[in-house]
Structure formats: structure tokens, C-alpha cells
Amino acid sequence: MRHSLLLSEPVIFMKSDSALLKDGKPFFIPDFSSEIHYETEVVVKINKVGKNIAEQFAHRYYNEMTAGIDFTARDLQRELREKGLPWEICKGFDQSAVIGDFIPLEETENIQNLDFHLKIDGKTVQKGHTSEMLFSVDRIIAYASRFFTLKIGDLIYTGTPAGVGKVEIGNNLQGFINNRKLLDFYIR
């Protein structure tokens, strides 16, 4: 994964419900950025309320997953980081959290043994495997639940592998988990 190896805890940031983009609807590049980057991730959906969840029980709090894109206004992020300011607006803007079709976890053998990848215009541009994540899905859920009560329907994006890059108008993005296409949309 592309995160610093010095991290001892997951990095958490939140997106509002207006950040969601689903059902294959197109993503429109916003006017406040000239450098929107994709970050492909496995996304799990919380299925019951939980607070201070022990890692060994975290698997009981989600039962569906999908491929997702965490869009980032990279130029805005650099500017905010240089000033030491929070960078929610470069990650949480409207329609910056794309989700595909959810599948039940029963359709996979082990969430920590999944291939996932992104194709842009038919070419694979990003590949990852959940066993290579810095933090397991259960560790991420346990950690987040220390600070936030997780509620039914909450979505947890689990981190992105190397290979992030810029999107352009006209691109077709397709996200896969274990070669199953779950996400398919266009950039406008």
C-alpha cells in the first residue's frame, strides 16, 4: 500500500452523504480543481450499530462489500497541506466517494485475500490485494469505532494501493474485486 510505513494507526477522514456517487452515474470534474486523482479501494458496508468494537469481533459488523473510488483534488490537497490546514474539502467534496454494486461477503472466501483493480478505458491502472493492506479491514473498523459510533449503512473505504493518477473528461472507470466488475462509470 502507498501509505507511510511509519503509521501505527489507520488515518481516518470523513465524507458527508453528498459525497456519494452510485448507480453508475457519471462523475463531473469540479471547477475548483484541475487535478482530480482516483484512488481505488475495497469498501465495506456496516450492518449494525457499534462502538468500541474489539478487533476480533469487527467481522460481525459488516456483510457486504464493493469496489469504490476515493476521488481527491490533489492540487487543492497540496496547497492545504503546505499551509498546515485540514484537507476535508479536497477529499469530501460532492460526489467524491464513488461506490459500485455491493456483493455479500459470503461470495468470497476471505476479505483479507482479495484482488482488486481499476481499469481506465480498458487498461489496468491500479492493482491491489487486501492481504497487502497496512491494516486489515477488522483493524480499521475497530480503530474507527473508538472515535465514532458506526451505524447501519456507514461505508468504510479501506485504503488504496500504489498507482493513483489523474482522471480526464471522457475516461471510463471500471472497478473489480476478484475479476468481478462492480463499478462502471464515466468522467464528464
Side-chain angles (χ1 to χ4, degrees), residues 77-93:
Q77 184 183 43
R78 277 192 301 273
E79 180 183 322
L80 293 168
R81 278 183 171 171
E82 287 171 6
K83 295 176 181 176
L85 297 172
W87 34 278
E88 282 85 0
I89 60 174
C90 70
K91 299 287 276 179
F93 58 90

Side-chain angles (χ1 to χ4, degrees), residues 7-8 33 52 116 120-121 123 125 158-160 179 181 184:
L7 291 177
S8 60
S33 176
N52 291 316
F116 61 101
I120 296 182
D121 300 331
K123 178 184 175 199
V125 295
T158 60
T160 192
N179 291 317
K181 183 169 61 171
D184 190 349

Side-chain angles (χ1 to χ4, degrees), residues 2-14:
R2 68 179 185 83
H3 301 293
S4 168
L5 295 178
L6 301 176
L7 291 177
S8 60
E9 301 290 350
V11 174
I12 303 288
F13 59 89
M14 297 176 65

